[in-house]
Amino acid sequence: MSDITHTAFFGTAEQTFTLTDPMIAELERTADVGIGALYQRAIAMQFKAADLTEIIRLGLVGGGMNPQAAMRLTDTYATNRPMAETYPLVLDILDARWNGNTEESEAA
């Protein structure tokens, strides 16, 4: 079975990112578009700048971080940064939810 969690260095340490169902619902609300359209928009590089930070923030919350800490990390390390730094992370977070994270099964 595939995992929907992505782990990556963000801020000052390895972080866990998971777009759980409640986080997807919140993302759909804040982006005013469904997750399928948002995913397609992201991979086609047709995203809004706010999409990037919201996906990271909500991924952190879904991964177990409290919302205040997730906002603080996102404000510090994703806002006003080159999109080339945040975009690959966003794609990895979305891809883990869309396709499942198979890194662990490949390593075995």
Side-chain angles (χ1 to χ4, degrees), residues 3-4 6 11 18-20 33 43-44 47 51 63 65 81-83 96:
D3 184 18
I4 60 170
H6 176 69
T18 308
L19 288 177
T20 60
V33 66
I43 61 173
F47 54 84
D51 294 342
M65 186 175 286
R81 302 295 310 151
M83 289 180 190

Side-chain angles (χ1 to χ4, degrees), residues 12 68 91 96 106:
T12 60
Q68 295 81 7
L91 288 180
E106 290 174 2

Side-chain angles (χ1 to χ4, degrees), residues 84-99:
E85 291 179 8
T86 56
Y87 180 65
L89 176 59
V90 166
L91 288 180
D92 288 342
I93 294 166
L94 287 169
D95 194 51
R97 180 57 201 247
W98 199 263
N99 296 306

Side-chain angles (χ1 to χ4, degrees), residues 1 3 7 14-15 19 22 26 36 40 46 48 50-51 60 62 70 78 80 85 98-99 101 107-108:
M1 183 166 108
D3 184 18
T7 303
E14 289 284 316
Q15 306 294 341
L19 288 177
E26 178 64 5
Q40 289 299 316
Q46 300 295 314
K48 296 177 183 177
D51 294 342
L60 287 166
N80 294 316
E85 291 179 8
W98 199 263
N99 296 306
N101 180 356

Side-chain angles (χ1 to χ4, degrees), residues 1-63:
M1 183 166 108
S2 293
D3 184 18
I4 60 170
T5 298
H6 176 69
T7 303
F9 188 87
F10 180 72
T12 60
E14 289 284 316
Q15 306 294 341
T16 301
F17 301 87
T18 308
L19 288 177
T20 60
D21 288 349
M23 294 303 101
I24 288 175
E26 178 64 5
L27 183 57
E28 290 175 333
R29 186 189 69 75
T30 61
D32 197 30
V33 66
I35 188 66
L38 183 61
Y39 182 68
Q40 289 299 316
R41 194 162 82 183
I43 61 173
M45 296 189 75
Q46 300 295 314
F47 54 84
K48 296 177 183 177
D51 294 342
L52 300 180
T53 54
E54 273 299 278
I55 290 166
I56 294 169
R57 183 181 73 81
L58 293 172
L60 287 166
V61 174

